[in-house]
Amino acid sequence: MRKTISWSIGIYFIYVLFIIWYLFYFADTSIPKEFKGTSADPETFLTPREWMLSEQYSQMKNLLFFLAIPYDWLIYIVILVLGLSRKFQDWAKATTKWSALQTVVYLFWLSSLVTVFTLPLSFIAYRLAKEYGINTQTFSHWLKDEIINFWVNYVLMVIIVSVLYWLIRKFEKRWWLYAWLLSIPFIVFLTFIQPVVIDPLYNDFYPLRDKELETKILALAEQANIPAEHVFEVNMSEKTNALNAYVTGIGPNSRIVLWDTTLERLQEDEILFIMAHEMGHYVMKHIYWGVAGYVLLILIGLYATNKLMKWIIQRWGACLHIKNIKELNSLPLFLLLISLLSFSASPLVNAVSRYEEHAADQYAIELTKNTEAAVSAFQELTRAGLSQVNPPYLVKIFRYGHPTILERIVFLNTYE
């Protein structure tokens, strides 16, 4: 037990040193010579202080990202090796004889413990964004969001885990296939209700109050053959100074949403470009393609997880205090493998997302015919979010679902 934990902590420590070396000493984030002096060069649209702050903030934010994910893996390993997952299962069985309620009790203990250990990193991320002027939330509002997030995830986990382990116990050889089949309507349902049930738990949404701007946006939507009746804005200024807009939901619940910070800091023609970009996602059905892609990845992930769990339990089950895959205390191993596989697949997922975002940029330019507004919009996005114009390669492939600001502005400058 001590050997397993020592090796895990040692590997994590070496990984941390590598990430620090890579982000702070090795990675080159300077602008290539051929783009010096162009509108893609941050020296042309950021003050020296803004450029320095964007580099500092991005480095720290990237460091937290790369530390947080394997830190979760380390937590799951320690929970398994110390036998805590087995104890949680025993407590659940001692509390009630009902299998469904045992899952409720077990997940409460597991979720609470994981939250206790991950909350410090979340707080550091909050304080970092606060110090650099990105986050505007008070501590009480931040804590409220964390509590809401805990209970939303907990309720979803109870539903998913209850069904998952019922399938494992009933169909040990093919549980992954049946779980995948059930995941399809579940994902579609969540995507459908997210704009009207989940998102309003965190923020207030309402139709765009600037009716003159809404008229212009709806005229743009009509030009794109989109049957839109409203554009929604959300009060994000009480939480952040960053800018954003997005498309969410499917079917009649689909929405185009603007952050109020975007409305406050961007000019009208810049907002129209942003809206045209989001309309591009709608026209090209990127949300539907995204759902289909995730469904395919879930199939591959569940199949691989089934194989890996059985192999790991057969070889190291005694060390992990797991007798077979049917036991509820094997859940941390399931979550560990799912997280590992998700992280491994993230470069592919992000590459597809960057392709879609580039296609939406091109669509927006073809619709608005205004490259100057597009360039200035991206420059303001950089300034407001203190984003790196040219992030390190590893950061790009593991974190960026959008092309970099450098790539987006260079494309606009060369677009014909």
Side-chain angles (χ1 to χ4, degrees), residues 285-318:
K285 301 186 180 350
H286 287 163
I287 293 179
Y288 296 93
W289 283 109
V291 170
Y294 279 115
V295 166
L296 177 60
L297 286 175
I298 288 172
L299 173 62
I300 298 171
L302 288 175
Y303 175 77
T305 300
N306 174 57
K307 293 292 185 182
L308 289 170
M309 281 187 74
K310 290 178 178 178
W311 177 71
I312 291 172
I313 292 171
Q314 183 179 5
R315 186 162 184 175
W316 295 294

Side-chain angles (χ1 to χ4, degrees), residues 187-214:
I187 291 172
V188 173
F189 176 70
L190 279 183
T191 307
F192 182 79
I193 68 167
Q194 179 182 335
V196 293
V197 176
I198 298 177
D199 289 348
L201 294 175
Y202 298 90
N203 301 100
D204 295 327
F205 292 78
Y206 33 82
L208 186 61
R209 287 174 291 190
D210 187 339
K211 296 305 176 184
E212 183 178 346
L213 176 60
E214 185 179 46

Side-chain angles (χ1 to χ4, degrees), residues 139-158:
F139 174 75
S140 60
H141 285 169
W142 171 80
L143 190 59
K144 175 186 174 183
D145 278 355
E146 290 294 312
I147 293 172
I148 292 174
N149 197 45
F150 172 85
W151 286 111
V152 169
N153 288 334
Y154 175 71
V155 170
L156 290 175
M157 282 291 288
V158 167

Side-chain angles (χ1 to χ4, degrees), residues 18-143:
F18 168 76
I19 291 298
I20 291 174
W21 169 78
Y22 177 78
L23 291 176
F24 291 90
Y25 300 100
F26 177 77
D28 182 13
T29 60
S30 61
I31 303 302
K33 291 181 180 180
E34 60 267 31
F35 303 126
K36 286 284 188 179
T38 68
S39 56
D41 184 354
E43 288 187 355
T44 65
F45 62 88
L46 294 179
T47 66
R49 175 175 172 76
E50 287 172 338
W51 192 10
M52 178 193 69
L53 290 177
S54 70
E55 289 294 317
Q56 290 179 350
Y57 177 63
S58 296
Q59 284 179 328
M60 294 303 298
K61 187 171 61 173
N62 293 333
L63 176 64
L64 286 174
F65 168 81
F66 281 108
L67 298 191
I69 294 177
Y71 179 67
D72 289 346
W73 304 342
L74 184 62
I75 291 173
Y76 291 135
I77 291 172
V78 171
I79 287 174
L80 287 168
V81 173
L82 291 181
L84 295 177
S85 184
R86 167 70 64 179
K87 289 182 180 178
F88 294 158
Q89 180 179 261
D90 293 341
W91 293 347
K93 288 181 177 179
T95 303
T96 177
K97 294 181 180 180
W98 296 88
S99 177
L101 292 179
Q102 289 175 6
T103 302
V104 172
V105 174
Y106 173 87
L107 280 174
F108 177 78
W109 286 110
L110 180 64
S111 300
S112 298
L113 182 63
V114 171
T115 300
V116 166
F117 280 102
T118 56
L119 195 60
L121 277 181
S122 299
F123 178 72
I124 291 172
Y126 159 72
R127 287 301 306 169
L128 178 69
K130 187 85 171 175
E131 289 177 7
Y132 280 86
I134 304 299
N135 195 315
T136 59
Q137 274 185 300
T138 63
F139 174 75
S140 60
H141 285 169
W142 171 80
L143 190 59

Side-chain angles (χ1 to χ4, degrees), residues 197-341:
V197 176
I198 298 177
D199 289 348
L201 294 175
Y202 298 90
N203 301 100
D204 295 327
F205 292 78
Y206 33 82
L208 186 61
R209 287 174 291 190
D210 187 339
K211 296 305 176 184
E212 183 178 346
L213 176 60
E214 185 179 46
T215 300
K216 294 181 179 180
I217 293 174
L218 292 178
L220 205 61
E222 184 179 0
Q223 186 179 343
N225 296 317
I226 297 175
E229 296 182 1
H230 294 289
V231 177
F232 290 87
E233 65 175 284
V234 54
N235 61 328
M236 291 297 295
S237 55
E238 63 181 23
K239 294 185 177 183
T240 182
N241 283 321
L243 314 181
N244 198 14
Y246 59 89
V247 179
T248 185
I250 56 175
N253 281 355
S254 59
R255 288 181 174 180
I256 298 176
V257 180
L258 270 167
W259 287 10
D260 59 348
T261 52
T262 304
L263 293 166
E264 292 167 5
R265 296 190 60 162
L266 293 187
Q267 300 298 318
E268 185 177 278
D269 55 352
E270 296 169 342
I271 293 174
L272 290 176
F273 168 78
I274 296 294
M275 286 291 91
H277 172 97
E278 300 306 329
M279 292 173 190
H281 286 304
Y282 181 92
V283 169
M284 292 179 277
K285 301 186 180 350
H286 287 163
I287 293 179
Y288 296 93
W289 283 109
V291 170
Y294 279 115
V295 166
L296 177 60
L297 286 175
I298 288 172
L299 173 62
I300 298 171
L302 288 175
Y303 175 77
T305 300
N306 174 57
K307 293 292 185 182
L308 289 170
M309 281 187 74
K310 290 178 178 178
W311 177 71
I312 291 172
I313 292 171
Q314 183 179 5
R315 186 162 184 175
W316 295 294
C319 176
L320 301 177
H321 303 277
I322 305 173
K323 293 180 180 179
N324 60 68
I325 194 174
K326 297 178 181 180
E327 293 185 326
L328 188 58
N329 71 311
S330 67
L331 179 61
L333 177 59
F334 176 86
L335 296 175
L336 168 62
L337 292 174
I338 288 293
S339 180
L340 274 165
L341 293 170

Side-chain angles (χ1 to χ4, degrees), residues 395-415:
V395 174
K396 174 184 171 181
I397 64 173
F398 281 102
R399 291 207 66 194
Y400 274 53
H402 292 69
T404 66
I405 293 296
L406 176 66
E407 292 168 337
R408 300 178 94 166
I409 294 180
V410 167
F411 162 71
L412 292 169
N413 287 338
T414 57
Y415 179 79

